Amino acid sequence: MLDYKFIKENLEAVKENIKNRNMQADADLVVELYDKRTALITGQQALQQQRNENARAMKGKVDDETRKQLVSEGRNIKEQISQTEKELADLEPQLDAAARKIPNMVNPASPIGKIDADNIEVKKVGTPRKFDFKPKDHVTLGEELDLIDFDRGTKVSGPKFYYLKNEAVFLEQALIMYALNTLRKHDFTPFITPDIAKEEVLQGIGFNPRGNESNVYTIEEEHTCLVATAEITLGGYHSGEIIPKAKLPLYYCGLSHCFRREAGAAGQFSKGLYRVHQFDKVEMFVYCLPEQSDEIHEHLRRIEEEIFIGLGLPFRVVDTCTGDLGAPAYRKWDLEAWMPGRNGGEYGEVTSTSNCTDYQSRRLNVRYKDDDGKNKYVHMLNGTAIAVGRAMLAIMENYQNEDGSITVPPVLVPFCGFDRIGPKTDR
């Protein structure tokens, strides 16, 4: 969340930012509640001072009438303090709730727009393959090669669930190991994270655990949720802690199952593996000093590019517009891989990386002690190394052959143990 004082002192800029992000939040209400809170705290401090003065006077030599008056004044001051404390207790959650709706400020260089069509392409890597036959989409390939079973996934678990089978199982594990080994070269500390997190951790990261617009599965009566990404669990890892400055930056990567309701998500681009309720992902997460975050954000993007260059997949990088940013993100890059089976050939998002500055750390209370002895909020960044379903989708469609087989990218062969996935008759 943004600092209350920052919102008050930059009210018009904050309101313009909310507008540019196409979000609903009431910055004026935050300032109103913040001013009330400030007045109450000031009044409380004055009352506490009066109470102390009254107590000192009571210890002195006073006559009975004066003592009686001091006792009455002390009782009145105590009642006023109690009332002020009650008003503060009632106001604090209102202020917190209103402030949490306000998104992070946006990097001035980010494009202003409402939807992903307003994102700006900044880089292209590789050239989409020209097929001398009509390419199939990954759903058809997965069914013909007996790699994915969507029908039985729906029968057993519901829509947008699936079974991976045969070589697809090894291909998934190969993608995970490839990503983890790439991150190990960059000195990331690897984690396998919990699949469940407390609601307050999700709220701190910026996910809404409840309501019609929530994208996560809530575990009833437990005040916990299934995680939608290891960003949640890695971001909560140091919640409430003060990290020694000398240890920053901390580079973490987490392998987790990811569960998403994908409420409202539909359409032709949601079919198959592109948008599902459960998938595996290797996530990057960084805690750093404020002055380091812009450079580290570029570093995370370069790692994502390295991974997809290694896979031999054509992709482009886009600078995400204001309306397509999640509330915590200050700036976000998306990598979109070429998908031949998507509407006759289009780019589709496969990874993203976001610099969330101190927006999440304020909510999760993650700080470091600076050289001036003051505790300050760290900056937090996240980035997808591999979202397995979408990476597999892109590999299947780009590496398909006329005979219906799929060539395995050379970089994955040592991990999965084969270089080709052939039709069932070949097995």
Side-chain angles (χ1 to χ4, degrees):
M1 62 169 48
L2 297 179
D3 178 66
Y4 299 148
K5 185 178 180 182
F6 176 89
I7 296 172
K8 178 179 173 64
E9 294 178 348
N10 300 273
L11 181 57
E12 293 308 314
V14 170
K15 290 163 74 171
E16 182 68 15
N17 182 60
I18 295 169
K19 177 183 174 183
N20 289 339
R21 281 177 168 265
N22 201 29
M23 293 184 178
Q24 299 295 321
D26 193 341
D28 288 317
L29 176 61
V30 173
V31 173
E32 177 186 337
L33 294 172
Y34 174 60
D35 286 343
K36 285 183 180 179
R37 174 178 176 263
T38 302
L40 284 169
I41 291 173
T42 302
Q44 183 185 50
Q45 292 170 344
L47 287 168
Q48 289 169 341
Q49 184 175 348
Q50 291 178 34
R51 181 183 60 187
N52 294 338
E53 291 172 354
N54 179 273
R56 283 194 294 269
M58 289 280 288
K59 292 178 181 179
K61 292 183 178 180
V62 294
D63 55 43
D64 289 344
E65 185 63 29
T66 302
R67 182 173 298 279
K68 186 177 180 180
Q69 183 178 350
L70 288 172
V71 169
S72 177
E73 289 176 358
R75 187 180 298 112
N76 183 49
I77 293 170
K78 183 179 179 181
E79 290 174 355
Q80 290 183 67
I81 290 175
S82 177
Q83 178 62 29
T84 302
E85 288 175 345
K86 181 180 184 305
E87 290 180 27
L88 273 171
D90 291 341
L91 187 143
E92 286 284 6
Q94 297 177 48
L95 175 57
D96 180 75
R100 284 178 180 271
K101 294 178 182 178
I102 295 180
N104 199 359
M105 299 301 287
V106 173
N107 187 310
S110 296
I112 295 175
K114 292 186 176 181
I115 58 176
D116 57 5
D118 297 320
N119 297 342
I120 294 179
E121 179 184 299
V122 297
K123 185 177 186 179
K124 268 186 179 175
V125 177
T127 303
R129 176 183 171 189
K130 293 186 180 298
F131 292 88
D132 52 11
F133 60 92
K134 184 178 180 180
K136 302 171 183 176
D137 64 25
H138 74 285
V139 175
T140 302
L141 289 164
E143 291 173 349
E144 291 181 352
L145 295 173
D146 200 21
L147 301 175
I148 314 171
D149 195 328
F150 293 103
D151 291 338
R152 288 186 175 89
T154 299
K155 179 179 73 172
V156 172
S157 303
K160 297 185 183 295
F161 287 96
Y162 58 95
Y163 287 87
L164 290 182
K165 300 174 61 180
N166 298 313
E167 291 94 338
V169 175
F170 295 93
L171 188 57
E172 162 150 332
Q173 297 304 309
L175 282 164
I176 290 170
M177 289 305 300
Y178 167 59
L180 288 174
N181 276 284
T182 300
L183 297 179
R184 177 162 57 176
K185 290 191 304 181
H186 290 280
D187 296 322
F188 281 73
T189 300
F191 290 78
I192 294 178
T193 70
D195 287 338
I196 293 174
K198 296 178 179 178
E199 288 186 0
E200 57 262 33
V201 175
L202 273 83
Q203 290 170 337
I205 288 295
F207 281 81
N208 176 19
R210 295 184 179 275
N212 293 333
E213 296 182 358
S214 176
N215 197 26
V216 297
Y217 289 101
T218 300
I219 301 176
E220 294 301 328
E221 299 181 1
E222 296 290 337
H223 302 291
T224 58
C225 303
L226 297 177
V227 300
T229 165
E231 174 192 351
I232 295 168
T233 40
L234 292 177
Y237 190 74
H238 288 294
S239 60
E241 297 181 17
I242 298 174
I243 302 172
K245 183 178 180 181
K247 289 189 174 182
L248 296 172
L250 293 171
Y251 287 89
Y252 293 163
C253 65
L255 168 62
S256 74
H257 301 305
C258 303
F259 302 89
R260 301 189 182 184
R261 292 178 59 234
E262 298 293 359
Q268 59 175 321
F269 301 145
S270 297
K271 71 177 183 178
L273 294 175
Y274 191 80
R275 198 177 298 281
V276 292
H277 288 316
Q278 178 182 339
F279 59 96
D280 288 343
K281 180 157 70 85
V282 178
E283 180 79 0
M284 301 179 285
F285 198 91
V286 181
Y287 298 83
C288 70
L289 300 173
E291 60 267 26
Q292 297 171 328
S293 66
D294 284 339
E295 181 180 347
I296 289 175
H297 192 207
E298 295 297 314
H299 179 52
L300 295 183
R301 190 186 89 177
R302 288 193 295 270
I303 292 173
E304 292 180 352
E305 292 178 8
E306 175 188 341
I307 288 171
F308 278 83
I309 289 171
L311 290 172
L313 294 170
F315 64 88
R316 68 175 185 172
V317 179
V318 299
D319 193 353
T320 308
C321 73
T322 54
D324 199 32
L325 287 172
Y330 169 70
R331 196 174 198 185
K332 177 169 170 273
W333 303 105
D334 284 349
L335 259 66
E336 299 179 348
W338 182 254
M339 299 178 180
R342 181 184 172 102
N343 200 31
E346 284 186 352
Y347 288 98
E349 181 189 339
V350 285
T351 72
S352 65
T353 177
S354 299
N355 180 1
C356 297
T357 61
D358 61 358
Y359 188 85
Q360 295 170 323
S361 60
R362 286 181 180 277
R363 298 158 74 108
L364 291 167
N365 195 26
V366 185
R367 298 171 291 169
Y368 70 98
K369 188 177 292 293
D370 207 353
D371 297 335
D372 59 9
K374 295 180 179 179
N375 292 330
K376 300 177 181 178
Y377 292 101
V378 301
H379 277 199
M380 297 162 73
L381 304 94
N382 64 82
T384 306
I386 282 287
V388 175
R390 293 189 180 184
M392 188 180 298
L393 179 167
I395 287 169
M396 291 172 67
E397 292 187 357
N398 281 279
Y399 279 90
Q400 63 179 292
N401 302 307
E402 189 172 8
D403 65 358
S405 67
I406 298 171
T407 300
V408 176
V411 73
L412 299 182
V413 172
F415 298 111
C416 62
F418 49 84
D419 59 9
R420 177 178 174 273
I421 302 173
K424 190 174 182 179
T425 54
D426 288 2
R427 296 198 202 112

